[in-house]
Amino acid sequence: MSEFLRMGGYAFYVWTSYGLAFVLMTALVVSPLIEKKRLIEGIRRKLRRERREK
Amino acid sequence: MRFYHRLASPRHFYRIAGQWIPWLAGIFFVLLVWGLYESLFVAPTDYQQGESYRIIFIHVPAAWMSMFIYFIMAVAGAINLVWRMKMAEVVLVASAPIGAAFTFLALVTGSLWGKPMWGTWWVWDARLTSELFLLFLYLGIIALYGAIEDKRTAGRAVSILALVGVVNLPIIHFSVEWWNTLHQGSTVSLMGGAKMDPRMLRPLLVMSFAFKFYYGWVLFLRARNEVLERERNTSWVRELVEGKAT
């Protein structure tokens, strides 16, 4: 197992590459999910305000 | 033709994209697990580069995606300019951050591979420079779209920029043939086949298919948000928001 993690002495280069891919690709999925919640909340709030004004 | 018209309508696009999302995500995860297993455990050690070459299974699929996504954006830009199709604009705009991320990933993983193999993080050779220029094109498109208030005007502006920038794609592709580059030539090509061990080629292809499905998944997530934002004052979005629990 530790042999595998060492990557023949190239651990830093290999795991930084895979790690960066993981971080970027996770962020690109999470950000639109948060954005969607924010958008729907915003539209809901606007609808409620309009109804009160009527 | 009917399918095309329905996809061109924001409301139907929103619904159809929503149905596709779980499938795209599911296929991506299956391919990813398979691809990672092959990349890290099945593919043999390279006789020249040792284990460092395993960066290829991230680097090359990311670089392919950086060009593939730009190509999709240029096509969407052309469709938008010719037919004024709203959904083409949405696809273009939603793709840009994904393309920028893959371009950045290709550059950084290339750098991380270059340091142990070439002895340097960066050289200004034609391949690296044109790929860096691609990143600037993506960032330019994102910035330009954000800078213009009216979405339709902004959409037309980025369509033109995406279309003009497409000349960079053949430059990236052929850079390793046209100029003397430190970057190696292509190992895998559509016409010439692949000059590598099948146990190395397979994970490369599986990972690149995985990334394609990932792009489809994230594109639809982002495009749906873009549609919601643009159509926020229509009755169908209002009904959708009222009816939804989350």
Side-chain angles (χ1 to χ4, degrees):
Chain A
M1 189 62 194
S2 74
E3 192 51 36
F4 170 74
L5 289 176
R6 273 190 69 250
M7 276 289 148
Y10 296 109
F12 169 75
Y13 304 103
V14 173
W15 295 124
T16 309
S17 295
Y18 280 77
L20 180 70
F22 176 79
V23 169
L24 278 178
M25 290 171 80
T26 306
L28 273 179
V29 169
V30 172
S31 70
L33 294 177
I34 295 170
E35 171 74 7
K36 187 181 181 187
K37 255 195 198 124
R38 201 185 57 80
L39 271 171
I40 288 181
E41 267 316 301
I43 300 171
R44 270 212 192 119
R45 224 173 302 126
K46 192 169 167 238
L47 283 178
R48 269 199 300 270
R49 205 167 352 150
E50 280 177 8
R51 215 166 283 133
R52 246 180 285 132
E53 280 162 12
K54 253 179 228 164
Chain B
M1 210 53 208
R2 236 186 98 223
F3 184 71
Y4 174 82
H5 277 294
R6 290 178 61 176
L7 268 187
S9 127
R11 183 183 183 173
H12 286 113
F13 178 92
Y14 189 89
R15 196 174 52 82
I16 292 166
Q19 290 167 351
W20 280 43
I21 280 172
W23 293 99
L24 293 166
I27 296 168
F28 161 66
F29 279 115
V30 171
L31 288 174
L32 179 72
V33 170
W34 179 23
L36 281 176
Y37 172 71
E38 295 250 356
S39 302
L40 295 171
F41 298 101
V42 179
T45 306
D46 187 77
Y47 78 101
Q48 275 184 327
Q49 304 197 359
E51 307 294 347
S52 76
Y53 92 99
R54 290 186 200 278
I55 294 173
I56 200 178
F57 303 120
I58 302 289
H59 174 72
V60 168
W64 282 344
M65 288 312 294
S66 74
M67 295 171 72
F68 176 79
I69 294 174
Y70 196 90
F71 180 72
I72 298 284
M73 286 168 59
V75 170
I79 291 174
N80 182 41
L81 289 174
V82 176
W83 289 293
R84 293 284 154 86
M85 192 176 149
K86 267 194 231 169
M87 291 321 299
E89 226 172 81
V90 169
V91 165
L92 199 172
V93 173
S95 293
I98 315 170
F102 276 119
T103 311
F104 180 73
L105 185 60
L107 286 166
V108 175
T109 54
S111 200
L112 283 163
W113 195 4
K115 184 62 188 168
M117 290 301 116
W118 298 341
T120 177
W121 298 103
W122 183 264
V123 282
W124 291 101
D125 90 354
R127 173 54 71 80
L128 279 70
T129 308
S130 53
E131 183 74 11
L132 181 65
F133 186 69
L134 183 67
L135 180 63
F136 292 152
L137 275 174
Y138 276 120
L139 298 180
I141 288 171
I142 294 168
L144 182 61
Y145 186 72
I148 302 174
E149 191 74 37
D150 179 60
K151 293 283 183 206
R152 296 297 329 250
T153 315
R156 208 150 340 126
V158 292
S159 295
I160 294 168
L161 180 53
L163 209 52
V164 172
V166 86
V167 294
N168 190 37
L169 290 189
I171 295 177
I172 297 174
H173 182 77
F174 292 110
S175 57
V176 288
E177 292 172 28
W178 291 343
W179 292 283
N180 231 329
T181 51
L182 186 53
H183 193 284
Q184 67 186 77
S186 26
T187 312
V188 184
S189 76
L190 284 180
M191 305 300 176
K195 294 171 276 208
M196 71 195 294
D197 188 312
R199 284 171 303 166
M200 294 178 178
L201 179 62
R202 204 166 2 145
L204 191 61
L205 296 180
V206 174
M207 287 299 272
S208 72
F209 279 119
F211 281 19
K212 293 273 183 322
F213 280 94
Y214 172 85
Y215 167 54
W217 175 28
V218 178
L219 170 64
F220 279 177
L221 286 177
R222 303 192 75 94
R224 270 163 61 101
N225 286 350
E226 189 69 30
V227 168
L228 271 187
E229 172 131 47
R230 286 172 172 226
E231 306 271 305
R232 58 189 312 147
N233 293 322
T234 61
S235 56
W236 75 267
V237 168
R238 294 177 164 222
E239 280 162 28
L240 186 91
V241 167
E242 304 250 90
K244 254 200 176 137
T246 47

